[in-house]
Amino acid sequence: MRIATFKLNGQRHVGQVSADGKHVTAFALTEDQAHHGAQPIIDALVAGHALPELAGTPHDITHVHLEAPLPVPRRNVWCVGRNYHAHAKELQASVFKDSNTDTKAWPIVFTKVPECVVGPKDDVHLPGAAISDQIDYEAELAVVIGKGGKNISHADAMSHVFGYTVVNDVTARDVQMRHQQWDMGKSFDTFCPMGPWIVTADEVDGRNTRVRCWVNGELRQDGPTENMIFDIPTLIETISRGITLYPGDIIATGTPAGVGMGLTPPRYIAKGDVIRVEIDGVGSIENRFV
Ligand code: MG
């Protein structure tokens, strides 16, 4: 099942996307429930309740404004740094130069503030050269947690995955490297495009798919998720050590090689660039940088 959050005539709805991806039909939710996007659907299914009824007729998906499936995440988006071998190598002289070089030690984990989440086709706002002139893209598979838990074992971890969505972990490289922590350089307004929907875990296995990214039509990133240094169960096991994960938590699982900073010379995002991130079996997002 694919669950999308969308606006129609100024009102937010959450709906089920048709098998061919061409239509979306809203669930019967109150306005307050729909404000939280797919969250009430996740909560209902995790609690063992039935899906809410579908309300009304299918809408042509091109006639609605798709939003991030979780447009107001309940808390920060968990993110993983340096999680593909080739990406670790391309940034070993810059972003990762002071980090533990043993890539098998522990994952790098940071967060993006929830307010930076925007929709799959929304504009991303460059902050201006005085703040950062090194804006970069990071195509990523994001895991959406279903059943919550603490100290989740590697063996049980996949049973806590509700589904998957697509994220561009947009990053201000100069700001990322200026501070000891990455959260600032990762959390500028609009720096977390997400969507186009959540695909439930029964339809795609995040451990075995493919992440790609194009900048103005030029393929820059292309990585199979099998190449992750820390696989999805390890990420869930690690992040839930002593920290309770909740339904609707989002974990962006890291980016493959090919980011702008890793090119020679680096190629950062310029005004007007259009960046498309696509994940097999999940979908694509495409955002213009303004
Ligand atoms: Mg990232």
Side-chain angles (χ1 to χ4, degrees):
M1 179 173 59
R2 285 179 276 185
I3 303 164
T5 300
F6 61 98
K7 271 199 171 147
L8 185 64
N9 301 323
Q11 198 171 349
R12 181 173 287 162
H13 300 275
V14 184
Q16 185 171 346
V17 179
S18 62
D20 62 8
K22 290 182 175 169
H23 295 88
V24 59
T25 308
F27 292 110
L29 297 176
T30 65
E31 196 177 328
D32 183 52
Q33 288 173 316
H35 173 71
H36 299 280
Q39 186 72 48
I41 307 299
I42 298 169
D43 289 340
L45 292 177
V46 166
H49 301 153
L51 272 176
E53 300 280 317
L54 292 172
T57 53
H59 303 286
D60 184 323
I61 208 154
T62 63
H63 293 169
V64 305
H65 177 81
L66 285 175
E67 298 191 279
L70 292 162
V72 281
R74 65 196 304 168
R75 57 181 185 172
N76 286 26
V77 177
W78 297 101
C79 301
V80 179
R82 198 184 61 186
N83 202 28
Y84 288 78
H85 291 283
H87 176 61
K89 198 168 176 190
E90 72 178 345
L91 295 190
Q92 67 186 2
S94 53
V95 172
F96 303 131
K97 73 178 188 309
D98 296 323
S99 47
N100 188 337
T101 53
D102 177 7
T103 53
K104 272 297 173 193
W106 293 96
I108 296 170
V109 180
F110 61 96
T111 67
K112 293 168 91 81
V113 298
E115 292 79 6
C116 70
V117 171
V118 293
K121 295 192 171 173
D122 290 346
D123 288 344
V124 176
H125 294 265
L126 296 166
I131 294 173
S132 172
D133 59 1
Q134 296 185 2
I135 307 301
D136 208 349
Y137 50 87
E138 294 190 353
E140 306 200 9
L141 173 72
V143 171
V144 179
I145 295 294
K147 184 176 53 165
K150 181 163 140 179
N151 304 329
I152 296 167
S153 71
H154 191 277
D156 286 344
M158 293 306 289
S159 70
H160 291 261
V161 176
F162 179 82
Y164 301 93
T165 190
V166 180
V167 156
N168 186 347
D169 174 20
V170 184
T171 303
R173 294 290 179 208
D174 40 5
V175 177
Q176 179 187 19
M177 291 189 293
R178 182 183 303 156
H179 304 274
Q180 291 290 316
Q181 306 286 325
W182 296 359
D183 302 43
M184 283 181 69
K186 298 278 193 173
S187 290
F188 287 3
D189 292 355
T190 71
F191 268 29
C192 192
M194 184 186 295
W197 39 61
I198 295 170
V199 178
T200 49
D202 57 320
E203 293 192 6
V204 62
D205 186 347
R207 296 168 295 187
N208 177 27
T209 184
R210 179 183 183 193
V211 178
R212 283 177 292 172
C213 177
W214 292 261
V215 178
N216 302 326
E218 176 192 344
L219 183 65
R220 294 276 187 90
Q221 296 186 275
D222 186 356
T225 56
E226 294 96 319
N227 286 1
M228 285 183 188
I229 297 170
F230 301 98
D231 63 11
I232 290 168
T234 301
L235 297 177
I236 293 171
E237 177 185 42
T238 303
I239 295 171
S240 72
R241 286 167 63 96
I243 300 176
T244 301
L245 289 178
Y246 294 101
D249 274 349
I250 301 159
I251 303 173
T253 57
T255 201
V259 299
M261 190 185 211
L263 303 174
T264 310
R267 294 169 71 182
Y268 295 112
I269 299 171
K271 189 171 142 187
D273 283 353
V274 174
I275 301 194
R276 175 185 173 85
V277 180
E278 183 170 331
I279 299 181
D280 290 359
V282 182
S284 65
I285 63 175
E286 185 170 297
N287 304 85
R288 181 177 297 276
F289 285 66
V290 301

